[in-house]
Amino acid sequence: MAGKRKGKKGKKGKKEVQAIDEYQLRRDLRGISKMKDFDMEDEVGEKLSKAEISPDIKIGGIEGGGTYSTLVILNRKGEKLIEVNGPDTNHWVLGMEETASRISAMIEHGKELLNIPKTVPLDCVGLSLSGCEEETTNELLTSILLKEYPNAAKDYCVSSDTLGSLRTGLENGGIVLIAGTGSNALLINPDGKTHGCGGWGYMMGDEGSAYWIAHRACKYVFDDIDDLVKSPHPISYIWPAMRDFFEVKDRAGMLPHLYSNFDKSKFSMFAKEIAVGCEKEDPLCLAIFEETGRLLARHIVALSKKAHNDLKLCHGGLQIICVGSVWKSWKFMKEGFMDEIHSGLVVDELSLLNLTATSALGSAYLAAEKIDCPFVKSYDQNVQVFFHYKRDNYGKIENQRQIQIRQCVRNDKDENIKVTTDSC
């Protein structure tokens, strides 16, 4: 959605921040006209020593994925002043120089909207980006930003996108499971130690992601037509949908999309058509999403083995933040997910949570902690529970389901006997 939305009145009569959607951010920066000044209210908040924290402190946070990125800028009280959406920022795809350039462009645009002079850098910016799992490359990105764009920010706190998402909604640790264009999972224990599962990219991982769903669907079509491996269900929906989406007449027409002109983000969008197929009750689409649920559940089973008991025994069980567009199709993944968790015999209770705010907030929280800027973080307001699992309860439901299935089988047998007798 391009452009800007007019602010609405909040609970205390304040204007809500304006979200700006800038998918071609760098091009827009060259020709954007001067925008109307924002009417920012500044109420007296928590009293902090001016010697410790400047009253004009500004902290940034960027959530960067393989499709788009989001920047937020907070004041010293943790209030969100602006939110700006921009292009993808994965340095493994773009390279360090281009990634740094895009980050700087987003920051400069946010500063412009807040009437912050270009020569005044933000105090610290948290970068939680896709592909930032290695400390060495994170330090390299920081050094490039500080050297090439000294007016963007005084310092940076670089981490993976999974960490930013988790810190948006959970203070003491838990799991974040990303299922968007790619997939990744991260566990943070209360002692600060982290453990990962997945996140190896489409060549070696991305199970349960939009890319995986799209690839799985295409693979079924190719193998079924070749008679190499027959699809478990007819390809009567997916094959026509595939031709329409990629605008091809046959499988040979798919080769440029798979190789010479491969675009992971565009290819992954085909997963939406598989979700549409689920709505139409296509059995192959439903089977793909059930398998997706199982694969995502395996990430949880793997990480839960390394989770501290404090996390497992908290209210609602192990807390898992679910991020990414694939979770929008939860109803089609739910059964496969629950069966995999239950059969794993590792997790007794868990809660799946949605973020109700951008995970760029978690990136800003990390930046604030790096420069010792204290403010109250609204963790509870940033998440909501959309599914709760408890082994005892699920076991009872499963037993009832098995009893119903056996009863239906007996009824069918009795009906067959009756029909046979009558026919005789």
Side-chain angles (χ1 to χ4, degrees), residues 328-354:
K328 295 178 181 178
S329 299
W330 164 247
K331 62 181 178 181
F332 304 124
M333 303 189 295
K334 180 178 178 180
E335 186 171 346
F337 182 94
M338 287 195 302
D339 286 346
E340 194 69 28
I341 291 292
H342 195 68
S343 63
L345 300 176
V346 175
V347 182
D348 291 326
E349 186 177 11
L350 62 78
S351 293
L352 300 184
L353 297 84
N354 276 330

Side-chain angles (χ1 to χ4, degrees), residues 213-410:
I213 293 169
H215 181 271
R216 188 68 162 168
C218 292
K219 182 64 172 168
Y220 273 134
V221 170
F222 273 70
D223 288 351
D224 188 84
I225 296 177
D226 275 344
D227 206 17
L228 177 66
V229 178
K230 297 304 293 182
S231 172
H233 303 284
I235 61 173
S236 53
Y237 168 82
I238 291 182
W239 179 216
M242 186 172 153
R243 295 197 302 267
D244 290 343
F245 180 84
F246 291 102
E247 298 180 347
V248 299
K249 295 181 180 179
D250 51 31
R251 288 179 297 160
M254 285 292 298
L255 297 180
H257 295 286
L258 297 171
Y259 300 102
S260 59
N261 298 326
F262 175 71
D263 183 331
K264 181 182 176 183
S265 296
K266 180 179 179 181
F267 186 84
S268 301
M269 290 179 184
F270 182 52
K272 293 182 180 180
E273 302 302 320
I274 311 305
V276 172
C278 289
E279 297 288 354
K280 296 181 179 180
E281 299 184 350
D282 176 74
L284 184 55
C285 292
L286 290 169
I288 291 173
F289 265 93
E290 181 179 350
E291 188 176 2
T292 299
R294 292 184 180 278
L295 289 169
L296 293 176
R298 287 176 191 171
H299 288 74
I300 302 303
V301 172
L303 290 179
S304 64
K305 299 174 184 177
K306 303 170 184 177
H308 286 189
N309 285 334
D310 289 348
L311 297 180
K312 296 179 181 179
L313 298 176
C314 72
H315 178 70
L318 188 60
Q319 305 290 294
I320 301 155
I321 293 180
C322 303
V323 180
S325 58
V326 172
W327 291 103
K328 295 178 181 178
S329 299
W330 164 247
K331 62 181 178 181
F332 304 124
M333 303 189 295
K334 180 178 178 180
E335 186 171 346
F337 182 94
M338 287 195 302
D339 286 346
E340 194 69 28
I341 291 292
H342 195 68
S343 63
L345 300 176
V346 175
V347 182
D348 291 326
E349 186 177 11
L350 62 78
S351 293
L352 300 184
L353 297 84
N354 276 330
L355 287 179
T356 58
T358 173
S359 56
L361 280 175
S363 307
Y365 293 168
L366 291 168
E369 291 170 5
K370 183 172 184 179
I371 62 173
D372 296 323
C373 177
F375 54 77
V376 177
K377 303 175 180 69
S378 53
Y379 293 112
D380 292 341
Q381 298 177 22
N382 295 339
V383 292
Q384 63 181 5
V385 177
F386 69 90
F387 174 72
H388 177 248
Y389 163 87
K390 198 167 185 177
R391 178 169 297 279
D392 293 342
N393 295 342
Y394 182 79
K396 295 176 182 178
I397 295 174
E398 184 64 17
N399 289 337
Q400 292 176 355
R401 186 171 70 173
Q402 292 301 324
I403 292 173
Q404 291 175 348
I405 292 174
R406 290 195 293 269
Q407 185 63 44
C408 289
V409 171
R410 284 198 297 268

